[in-house]
C-alpha cells in the first residue's frame, strides 16, 4: 500500500491565508469596478415649453432609450430666458451622465447675445451627439391674405413692422435666421417672442399673430391639415416631410440657407466612457428604423456622428451668426 501524500505543515497553515488574500483582492477589484451605466433614471432637460419640436424629438428618443436601457428616461421641460434656465440647471448637475441637456445652436447664440450667463458657455458642457438637422419654416394663418413667400416679402417691405411674427424664443435661431433674411431683402416685421415653438404656433393658429418662423417638425401636421399655410423653408433643400413647400432660395432669395439642429450635452467632467456610451446608444436609437422613420415624418433629418462632430458645428456657425446679431443690434441681458 502507498501512503496518501500529505502537504507540508507550512503549506497547510498558509493555504487559508492565500485563499483569504485572493478573495480580498477579488472583492477590492469588484468594489473598484464602476456599476454599469445606466443603473437608475436618466433625465433630459429640454429648455423650452412642452409641445414644440425639441420636446417632440426628445420624448420620442426617451421612449426608445427607456426600452434599450431598462431604466426610465425622464424629459424635464425647463423653459425661460432663451434656454438659459434649463442650461444652468444642467451645468450645476453632477457630471455622471444621468442629466443631459437638449440644445441646438442656441448655445452659440446665447454666448453671443447675453452679456452675462449663469454658466460658462465655453466650459460648462461636454458635447455628446448632434441628433438631427432641420429647416425653419415660415408659416402663416390662412386668413392672413399671404399666399406665397413673395406676398410676405412684398408686404414686409411695403409696410414695415406691420406683420407680426411669433418667435419660439427671443434671440433663438428663428430670430437670427429672420434677421439674416431682413438684412438680405429689406423685409421688416414686428417680432413677438414666446417661450417655445408650441405657444408661438398656437397664436398663429388662433389668429393672434400672422406668422411664425419655426422648426418644421413643430407644425408639420398643422400644415398637412391646412390649419397653417407654409410659405418657404430656410434650408437649401426641400423637406421630404413637406416636399411641396419651396426653399427661400427658390422663392425669391437666391443663395439663402439656414439649417438648424438639435443635439445633446452633459455637464463638463462627465467620464469619457460614459459620454462614449451615451453617444453610441443615442446614435443607435436615432438610426433604428422605427425612430428614424418617425422623426423623418415629423420633418427632422437624422444626423448622428461623434461628439467631436458636434463640437465642430458649434465652432463653424459662430462667425455668421455673430455678424447677423451685431448688424441687427440684438442684445439680451
Amino acid at each position: 500500500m502507498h501512503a496518501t501524500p500529505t502537504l507540508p505543515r507550512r503549506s497547510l497553515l498558509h493555504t487559508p491565508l492565500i485563499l483569504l488574500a485572493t478573495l480580498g483582492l477579488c472583492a477590492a477589484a469588484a468594489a473598484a469596478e464602476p456599476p454599469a451605466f445606466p443603473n437608475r433614471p436618466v433625465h433630459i432637460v429640454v429648455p423650452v415649453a412642452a409641445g414644440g419640436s425639441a420636446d417632440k424629438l426628445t420624448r420620442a428618443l426617451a421612449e426608445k432609450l427607456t426600452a434599450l436601457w431598462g431604466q426610465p428616461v425622464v424629459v424635464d421641460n425647463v423653459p425661460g430666458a432663451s434656454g438659459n434656465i434649463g442650461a444652468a440647471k444642467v451645468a450645476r448637475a453632477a457630471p455622471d451622465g444621468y442629466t443631459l441637456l437638449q440644445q441646438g445652436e442656441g448655445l452659440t447664440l446665447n454666448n453671443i447675445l447675453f452679456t452675462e450667463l449663469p454658466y460658462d458657455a465655453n466650459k460648462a458642457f461636454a458635447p455628446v451627439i448632434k441628433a438631427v438637422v432641420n429647416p425653419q419654416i415660415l408659416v402663416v394663418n390662412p386668413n392672413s391674405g399671404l399666399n406665397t413667400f413673395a406676398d410676405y416679402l412684398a408686404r414686409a417691405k411695403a409696410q414695415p413692422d406691420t406683420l407680426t411674427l411669433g418667435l419660439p424664443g427671443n434671440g433663438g435661431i428663428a430670430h437670427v435666421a429672420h434677421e439674416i433674411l431682413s438684412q438680405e431683402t429689406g423685409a421688416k416685421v414686428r417680432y413677438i417672442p414666446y417661450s417655445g415653438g408650441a405657444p408661438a404656433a398656437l397664436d398663429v393658429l388662433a389668429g393672434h399673430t400672422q406668422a411664425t418662423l419655426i422648426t418644421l417638425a413643430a407644425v408639420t401636421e398643422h400644415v398637412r391639415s391646412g390649419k397653417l399655410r407654409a410659405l418657404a423653408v430656410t434650408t437649401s433643400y426641400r423637406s421630404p416631410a413637406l416636399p411641396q413647400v419651396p426653399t427661400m432660395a427658390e422663392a425669391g432669395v437666391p443663395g439663402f440657407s439656414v439649417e438648424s439642429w438639435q443635439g445633446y450635452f452633459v455637464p463638463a467632467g462627465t467620464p469619457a466612457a460614459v459620454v462614449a456610451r451615451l453617444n453610441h446608444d443615442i446614435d443607435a436609437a436615432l438610426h433604428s428604423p422605427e425612430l428614424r422613420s418617425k422623426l423623418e415624418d415629423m420633418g427632422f433629418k437624422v444626423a448622428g456622428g461623434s461628439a467631436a462632430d458636434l463640437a465642430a458645428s458649434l465652432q463653424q456657425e459662430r462667425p455668421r451668426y455673430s455678424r447677423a446679431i451685431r448688424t441687427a443690434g440684438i442684445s439680451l441681458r
Side-chain angles (χ1 to χ4, degrees):
M1 292 179 65
H2 296 286
T4 302
T6 59
L7 289 170
R9 179 177 175 80
R10 184 178 296 274
S11 297
L12 287 171
L13 289 172
H14 283 76
T15 297
L17 297 175
I18 293 170
L19 287 172
L20 287 171
T22 303
L23 290 172
L25 288 171
C26 291
E33 184 72 23
F37 177 87
N39 62 1
R40 54 187 171 87
V42 174
H43 288 255
I44 305 178
V45 172
V46 178
V48 293
S53 60
D55 184 64
K56 291 178 181 179
L57 162 67
T58 300
R59 290 185 186 278
L61 176 63
E63 183 179 352
K64 194 73 176 176
L65 291 176
T66 295
L68 176 64
W69 289 336
Q71 294 289 341
V73 179
V74 182
V75 178
D76 297 329
N77 294 94
V78 186
S82 298
N84 285 323
I85 296 176
K89 180 178 180 178
V90 176
R92 294 191 300 266
D96 53 14
Y98 286 91
T99 305
L100 286 78
L101 172 67
Q102 176 277 316
Q103 251 292 15
E105 55 287 307
L107 278 182
T108 298
L109 297 175
N110 287 347
N111 203 21
I112 301 167
L113 287 163
F114 286 85
T115 53
E116 291 185 12
L117 290 171
Y119 54 87
D120 187 333
N122 297 314
K123 298 179 180 179
F125 308 105
V128 174
I129 192 168
K130 178 188 278 190
V132 296
V133 295
N134 42 264
Q136 297 291 302
I137 186 169
L138 180 64
V139 295
V140 297
N141 186 288
N143 297 321
S144 65
L146 302 170
N147 297 312
T148 66
F149 183 56
D151 292 340
Y152 178 86
L153 289 179
R155 187 180 299 182
K157 291 177 184 178
Q159 304 172 44
D161 300 321
T162 58
L163 277 177
T164 52
L165 180 79
L167 295 174
N170 199 17
I173 185 59
H175 191 175
V176 175
H178 200 282
E179 275 302 328
I180 294 172
L181 178 67
S182 294
Q183 290 163 23
E184 294 188 10
T185 65
K188 299 290 184 182
V189 299
R190 181 158 59 93
Y191 296 125
I192 311 293
Y194 292 83
S195 63
L202 284 173
D203 265 9
V204 182
L205 286 164
H208 300 314
T209 53
Q210 293 157 301
T212 184
L213 186 61
I214 192 169
T215 301
L216 185 142
V219 293
T220 308
E221 291 306 317
H222 293 315
V223 173
R224 288 173 178 163
S225 68
K227 294 178 181 177
L228 292 175
R229 178 178 295 139
L231 303 185
V233 295
T234 60
T235 43
S236 60
Y237 53 86
R238 295 192 181 198
S239 170
L242 295 172
Q244 77 280 13
V245 181
T247 68
M248 290 185 176
E250 292 172 326
V253 192
F256 186 89
S257 177
V258 174
E259 181 181 69
S260 61
W261 56 269
Q262 298 290 345
Y264 295 93
F265 299 80
V266 288
T270 300
V274 173
V275 174
R277 174 68 186 275
L278 288 167
N279 176 276
H280 176 274
D281 289 356
I282 294 174
D283 191 68
L286 291 168
H287 285 91
S288 64
E290 179 187 1
L291 183 55
R292 183 170 189 156
S293 176
K294 184 176 183 177
L295 294 176
E296 288 177 349
D297 186 62
M298 290 183 195
F300 292 114
K301 181 180 177 182
V302 171
S306 69
D309 294 334
L310 176 50
S313 291
L314 290 168
Q315 294 300 317
Q316 290 167 0
E317 63 198 14
R318 183 181 176 89
R320 184 188 188 196
Y321 294 154
S322 184
R323 282 194 305 272
I325 288 168
R326 286 199 306 268
T327 302
I330 306 171
S331 178
L332 304 177
R333 296 183 183 277

